């Protein structure tokens, strides 16, 4: 890549890479220029340089994200360590509940999905691995926010609370009260707030010092899954994962009843 003369060039490069969406295949320079607001000539120079380094791949006159970006992404410590530790618990959780399982982390006022284990017959989710959604409108996001430092939660409550569906909670006071309940019970719920027909139960994943690292969730169709029914299994899996990652203190069990970590996911047999 050419030498970066100042941070404005770097910001343009980031803007071009960030303009690619999860559902994109190849995107042309004109469309990238429209999405970024940059001149087409600038976009062309940046995409040529990124393609030379393997960060983009040329497909005719268009571009797609390159394999080298994936390789670099796999080296991100938080994502790699958390995902590798979570996968056995996520697999067990999917087998126990027969629903879709998510692992997500917080970045700013959004959640980023690190891993998703789907299930046949499950709903089409608005989530994608590597994709983002507003934290306040998702179960994983609310689970993380409830255990985040006050400054992090306050930044979300003071910001714009976008409506993803007609059931999204966009009133700061209501959201604050809900987060307080999540902090008390250890489980967050999404009742069609991120998408029509989709419900979920989520629980935070905590680190050695009690810091929230992310959240696990189980999602399914509103007419096929009771969030309260899978809550003990989600909470147990998140608790076990937290202990694997060095956490010692136990978050309070969900109001559906106490959950013993020693029993693993056996309680999930109650079904959705």
């Amino acid at each position: 890549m050419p030498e970066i003369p100042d941070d404005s060039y770097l910001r343009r490069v980031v803007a071009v890479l960030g303009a690619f969406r999860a559902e994109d295949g190849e995107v042309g320079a004109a469309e990238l220029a429209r999405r970024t607001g940059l001149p087409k000539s600038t976009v062309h120079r940046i995409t040529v340089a990124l393609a030379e380094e393997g960060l983009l791949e040329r497909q005719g006159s268009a571009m797609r994200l390159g394999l080298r970006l994936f390789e670099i992404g796999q080296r991100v410590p938080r994502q790699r360590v958390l995902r590798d530790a979570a996968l056995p618990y996520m697999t067990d959780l999917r087998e126990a509940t027969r629903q879709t399982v998510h692992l997500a982390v917080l970045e700013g006022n959004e959640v980023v999905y690190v891993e998703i284990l789907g299930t046949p017959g499950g709903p089409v989710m608005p989530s994608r691995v590597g994709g983002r959604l507003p934290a306040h409108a998702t179960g994983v996001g609310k689970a993380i926010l409830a255990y985040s430092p006050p400054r992090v939660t306050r930044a979300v409550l003071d910001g714009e609370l976008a409506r993803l569906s007609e059931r999204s909670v966009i009133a700061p006071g209501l959201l604050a009260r809900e987060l307080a309940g999540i902090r008390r019970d250890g489980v967050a719920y999404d009742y069609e707030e991120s998408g029509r027909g989709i419900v979920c139960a989520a629980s935070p994943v905590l680190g050695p010092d009690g810091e929230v690292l992310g959240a696990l969730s189980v999602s399914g169709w509103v007419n096929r899954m009771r969030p309260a029914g899978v809550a003990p299994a989600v909470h147990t899996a998140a608790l076990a994962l937290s202990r694997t990652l060095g956490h010692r203190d136990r978050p309070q069990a969900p109001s559906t009843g106490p959950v013993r970590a020693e029993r693993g996911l056996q309680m999930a047999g109650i079904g959705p």
Side-chain angles (χ1 to χ4, degrees):
M1 289 182 63
E3 181 180 352
I4 299 176
D6 54 44
D7 64 348
S8 63
Y9 180 82
L10 179 59
R11 284 196 295 270
R12 291 169 186 159
V13 171
V14 172
V16 170
L17 290 174
F20 286 87
R21 300 168 181 164
E23 65 272 17
D24 285 337
E26 296 80 35
V27 183
E31 176 61 17
L32 289 173
R34 186 189 68 79
R35 294 181 185 180
T36 60
L38 297 172
K40 187 175 178 180
S41 59
T42 299
V43 170
H44 175 74
R45 288 196 302 270
I46 290 174
T47 55
V48 168
L50 292 174
E52 289 176 354
E53 297 298 327
L55 299 175
L56 293 181
E57 296 175 355
R58 185 178 298 280
Q59 294 291 307
S61 60
M63 291 286 185
R64 68 182 182 189
L65 295 177
L67 182 60
R68 191 175 179 193
L69 269 180
F70 173 78
E71 294 171 346
I72 293 173
Q74 296 306 299
R75 302 172 195 165
V76 178
R78 178 171 61 162
Q79 172 180 319
R80 185 183 69 250
V81 173
L82 183 60
R83 177 185 177 276
D84 289 351
L87 270 176
Y89 299 101
M90 295 180 69
T91 301
D92 288 347
L93 195 53
R94 179 177 61 178
E95 290 300 315
T97 64
R98 300 186 183 277
Q99 305 292 345
T100 298
V101 180
H102 291 82
L103 172 67
V105 298
L106 184 70
E107 185 168 291
N109 61 356
E110 298 175 312
V111 289
V112 179
Y113 290 91
V114 175
E115 185 59 271
I116 301 174
L117 301 184
T119 187
V124 177
M125 301 286 178
S127 53
R128 299 287 185 274
V129 174
R132 296 167 176 259
L133 286 175
H136 71 278
T138 66
V140 285
K142 289 187 288 185
I144 297 172
L145 288 175
Y147 284 79
S148 293
R151 59 176 177 78
V152 174
T153 305
R154 177 50 54 190
V156 172
L157 291 173
D158 291 344
E160 180 182 357
L161 299 177
R163 187 186 294 277
L164 295 188
S165 79
E166 62 271 17
R167 296 199 173 185
S168 299
V169 178
I170 60 173
L174 290 177
L175 180 59
R177 287 194 290 275
E178 185 175 356
L179 295 179
I182 295 167
R183 178 83 182 186
R184 179 188 66 246
D185 298 335
V187 175
Y189 297 102
D190 172 355
Y191 293 101
E192 299 187 86
E193 296 162 49
S194 61
R196 182 186 295 271
I198 299 170
V199 293
C200 94
S203 198
V205 176
L206 305 179
D209 298 322
E211 72 279 19
V212 61
L213 303 178
L216 287 175
S217 74
V218 168
S219 303
W221 289 112
V222 64
N223 60 345
R224 297 182 186 176
M225 189 190 91
R226 288 190 308 111
V230 300
V234 177
H235 187 265
T236 299
L239 175 59
L241 175 56
S242 297
R243 287 181 169 178
T244 296
L245 295 169
H247 183 66
R248 295 183 179 180
D249 296 326
R250 177 181 298 184
Q252 186 172 340
S255 57
T256 49
V259 179
R260 293 175 58 90
E262 294 77 11
R263 293 177 60 186
L265 293 173
Q266 294 175 0
M267 290 190 68
I270 59 178

